[in-house]
Amino acid sequence: MNSAATDHKENHFLVSFDPATGNELGRIGIDSAAEVVEMVDRSRQCFQQWRRTSFAERKRLMMKAREVILEEMDEIAGLISAESGKPVAEALALEIAPALDLMQWAARETEKMLKPRKIGIGLFSLMGRSSKIIYQPLGVIGIIPAWNYPFSIPIGEAAMALMAGNTVVIKPSELTPLVGLKIGEIFKKAGFPKNAVQIVSGAGETGAALVDARPDKIVFTGSVATGKKIAEAAAKDLIPFVLELGGKDPMIVLEDADLDAAANVAVWGAFSNAGQNCASVERLFVHERIAEELTRRIIEKTKRLKLGRGTDPDVSIGPMSSERQVRIVEKHVNDFREAGAVIETGGERDPEKGELFYKPTVITGARNEIRPMQEETFGPTLPICTFTTDEEAVALANDTEFGLTASVWTRDISRGEKLAEKIEAGTVCINEHLYTHGIGQTPWGGFKNSGRGRTHGQEGLMELVQPQHIHTNRITLLPDAWWMPYSATAIQTFRQFATKFASGSLFKTAKMLPQLLKRIREIRRG
Ligand code: NAD
């Protein structure tokens, strides 16, 4: 068996493997629970200093971190490809470029997005009061990512957290520990304070130790099962969390869609990263009138894809990341076969390339009742199912516990947008799929079991701060009518507060002035 399939922990080391060859890439010591606690403590001390840095200084350092990435781009792309198996092309297009874009946006725009905000307080402002919201950083953000985007996900989350004034402790996936260490090195080389970004190495127990070490928020990316464990552990100390979990994303192709674009995106959306995307096209629903033609184009394009090592520039599909993941794909494909669906192409490993290579697989005759149409596959499979009406397409798309992203394909944009609103998913694209994680300005996160909270965008930034309300009274000469002592006059005044002032009408409120003056005189008398 390929050594990448064996346990990644040997005694107190994590062993990093190249999934294409099974060759060892490196060994990293596992941090103990006590060390994790120390790291969180150091992070919290550093936070006290980091939170006081100006946005200009944070921006300078973030732009420096971008320069470090640009200088070492090929080396980083090679490392991502070696450790995760994805083609170098994808490491560049789907990890490094989006991370750089997000970092420049976060560096330039965070100050603006977190600008103190004056809020309207209605008639209270007539009494010389005003309110504003300022955004305070939370403290230590514990980031626990998955292995499928080992660079762009954690570095993007760290960049936003740091710009907002937090410090971060990242526990990379045990399948991609070297990419995790590289992220720490990038921030160090850029000149960030020593403990502003720390990397904890280890597997699930170390992730659990990070939650137990009580960071001020957890930003987790991974499976629903682990997400539930994290939510349970975090609840003990009321630690807030963002959970970015699995998906079973539908692509709905209406009868008036641009078929060539739909076929290209179906292939890319289902097979990029060997199908190991949370927002992969996991289910394709196509109108019956165009099903045959779309399927023909998809199969043709799929058959042309080259499998191989990610370092070969012509390779579109690399190995899957682990034996465990390949076995899930095998099981799902078998389930489809047994249920009478047709495997049009693929449907098996490619042992000539290596044990973790699985051929891109197109399946027709898929139906929602077949189990793998309900469970996340996270592999290179594209099951196709037909529908006849828009309502049926929406019902099929929503028939899942997941709701991460979805797409609708049509030349009639307003019809597409109307359908999009009926789909239960955090992001719905019209004539696109999958790629909006690469637009840092847009929020990312799921409905239903696909997650809680958001990363990216203004919404994601708000997860990394706490709003603080500053309320000011500029006129202290007059007492507030609600002060003590209470009396019959007080009760009469409060009745008028309820019936006049609380109506929001200036006209009605003006009528309570005599009662108000009576009450003020009463309070002044003591
Ligand atoms: P996983 O849940 O097995 O592991 C994710 C991370 O959690 C790893 O770093 C792991 O070491 C850590 N972990 C495991 N047990 C833990 C525990 N008890 N406490 C704390 N940390 C623990 O997931 P995976 O196999 O690495 O990733 C695949 C999953 O991630 C898929 O379901 C995929 O859809 C999802 N994913 C979601 C998004 C998104 O944005 N929604 C993005 C990428 C991946």
Side-chain angles (χ1 to χ4, degrees):
M1 181 176 290
N2 190 317
S3 51
T6 60
D7 195 343
H8 282 249
K9 289 182 289 172
E10 287 187 4
N11 299 322
H12 290 294
F13 289 96
L14 277 182
V15 185
S16 167
F17 293 105
D18 178 340
T21 59
N23 293 341
E24 186 177 321
L25 295 171
R27 285 177 179 236
I28 303 101
I30 293 175
D31 291 300
S32 69
E35 283 166 323
V36 175
V37 169
E38 280 170 23
M39 282 167 146
V40 170
D41 284 349
R42 286 200 296 270
S43 190
R44 195 161 274 123
Q45 279 164 28
C46 180
F47 168 66
Q48 293 309 336
Q49 163 214 341
W50 179 249
R51 68 179 305 175
R52 275 184 266 282
T53 52
S54 65
F55 281 107
E57 173 64 357
R58 293 178 206 165
K59 176 179 171 185
R60 186 185 71 75
L61 290 170
M62 195 58 67
M63 295 309 271
K64 190 86 198 47
R66 288 184 78 261
E67 279 169 34
V68 175
I69 296 172
L70 285 167
E71 275 159 24
E72 301 182 13
M73 190 158 73
D74 291 330
E75 185 210 319
I76 297 170
L79 178 63
I80 296 170
S81 169
E83 211 175 32
S84 70
K86 68 180 64 183
V88 167
E90 280 179 9
L92 287 166
L94 304 182
E95 297 237 43
I96 296 178
L100 287 167
D101 190 39
L102 182 143
M103 287 164 85
Q104 64 80 17
W105 164 71
R108 296 194 170 116
E109 300 298 322
T110 302
E111 180 173 15
K112 219 181 287 164
M113 288 191 281
L114 296 184
K115 227 165 85 180
R117 189 166 60 86
K118 198 168 182 308
I119 50 176
I121 53 173
L123 296 176
F124 282 101
S125 56
L126 297 178
M127 299 184 222
R129 324 286 156 119
S130 65
S131 276
K132 68 176 174 184
I133 302 289
I134 63 169
Y135 297 98
Q136 298 278 13
L138 293 170
V140 180
I141 308 296
I143 299 177
I144 306 178
W147 43 265
N148 63 333
Y149 284 85
F151 187 74
S152 61
I153 291 181
I155 205 167
E157 288 165 354
M160 289 182 67
L162 288 162
M163 282 308 302
N166 303 286
T167 52
V168 303
V169 178
I170 306 173
K171 202 297 287 171
S173 165
E174 55 274 32
L175 293 183
T176 51
L178 295 177
V179 176
L181 289 179
K182 188 75 202 172
I183 291 173
E185 202 184 299
I186 289 165
F187 285 113
K188 189 172 167 207
K189 282 188 182 165
F192 277 77
K194 192 162 162 247
N195 295 317
V197 180
Q198 295 177 87
I199 312 295
V200 173
S201 297
E205 304 84 68
T206 314
L210 177 55
V211 179
D212 288 343
R214 302 170 71 164
D216 298 287
K217 189 150 189 168
I218 304 284
V219 180
F220 169 76
T221 306
S223 60
V224 174
T226 310
K228 286 182 180 173
K229 282 188 203 160
I230 290 192
E232 209 179 316
K236 279 193 293 189
D237 293 308
L238 294 179
I239 300 170
F241 48 75
V242 171
L243 303 176
E244 296 289 3
L245 308 178
K248 193 74 193 169
D249 294 2
M251 168 170 177
I252 299 176
V253 188
L254 304 181
E255 73 283 3
D256 66 342
D258 177 333
L259 285 197
D260 210 45
N264 275 321
V265 173
V267 169
W268 179 73
F271 304 137
S272 58
N273 206 14
Q276 302 165 114
N277 302 304
C278 51
S280 267
V281 177
E282 287 243 346
R283 298 173 298 151
L284 191 151
F285 299 106
V286 54
H287 192 281
E288 59 180 4
R289 207 182 307 149
I290 51 156
E292 204 181 314
E293 178 56 19
L294 182 71
T295 307
R296 189 188 65 72
R297 292 189 196 196
I298 288 174
I299 294 171
E300 209 177 279
K301 288 175 195 293
T302 303
K303 283 185 174 163
R304 286 204 295 264
L305 299 176
K306 184 172 167 191
L307 259 74
R309 292 193 63 179
T311 42
D312 175 346
D314 296 329
V315 155
S316 295
I317 303 184
M320 297 194 64
S321 59
S322 68
E323 176 63 22
R324 188 178 144 259
Q325 210 54 51
V326 183
R327 287 195 182 159
I328 296 172
V329 175
E330 283 180 329
K331 173 155 191 335
H332 282 192
V333 171
N334 266 341
D335 288 351
F336 274 118
R337 244 189 221 116
E338 280 171 14
V342 180
I343 313 302
E344 302 281 356
T345 181
E348 58 183 358
R349 296 191 198 219
D350 192 339
E352 272 177 32
K353 300 281 184 317
E355 287 187 32
L356 298 184
F357 286 86
Y358 198 92
K359 294 180 185 170
T361 301
V362 179
I363 302 162
T364 54
R367 301 181 311 278
N368 270 17
E369 310 83 79
I370 308 176
R371 237 173 86 171
M373 287 292 272
Q374 298 294 336
E375 293 170 3
E376 186 179 38
T377 306
F378 219 54
T381 60
L382 179 56
I384 303 177
C385 174
T386 57
F387 66 85
T388 47
T389 63
D390 289 8
E391 291 66 34
E392 188 191 357
V394 169
L396 288 167
N398 286 341
D399 176 24
T400 166
E401 64 169 305
F402 295 106
L404 188 57
T405 85
S407 63
V408 179
W409 291 75
T410 172
R411 287 195 168 88
D412 181 345
I413 302 299
S414 92
R415 179 181 174 201
E417 286 180 351
K418 273 193 204 113
L419 275 198
E421 288 178 21
K422 294 183 186 158
I423 296 173
E424 296 158 354
T427 295
V428 185
C429 296
I430 320 289
N431 299 331
E432 267 301 348
H433 198 104
L434 175 70
Y435 86 116
T436 65
H437 192 270
I439 310 177
Q441 293 89 335
T442 63
W444 185 262
F447 285 11
K448 304 198 278 192
N449 274 357
S450 284
R452 293 291 178 272
R454 294 291 179 269
T455 54
H456 293 187
Q458 172 94 19
E459 291 77 4
L461 185 63
M462 287 303 149
E463 299 275 2
L464 300 166
V465 291
Q466 45 194 339
Q468 185 176 42
H469 173 203
I470 308 283
H471 182 77
T472 307
N473 175 14
R474 289 187 170 75
I475 306 174
T476 51
L477 284 171
L478 293 175
D480 288 339
W482 48 84
W483 289 355
M484 290 174 180
Y486 301 144
S487 64
T489 307
I491 287 176
Q492 187 51 25
T493 313
F494 299 161
R495 271 211 186 90
Q496 292 196 15
F497 265 120
T499 56
K500 296 186 167 58
F501 181 84
S503 73
S505 154
L506 184 58
F507 180 69
K508 281 190 184 168
T509 304
K511 287 189 178 164
M512 68 178 283
L513 267 179
Q515 180 66 31
L516 207 52
L517 290 172
K518 203 164 144 193
R519 172 69 179 142
I520 286 169
R521 277 198 299 276
E522 180 185 70
I523 295 174
R524 281 214 164 127
R525 280 198 304 273

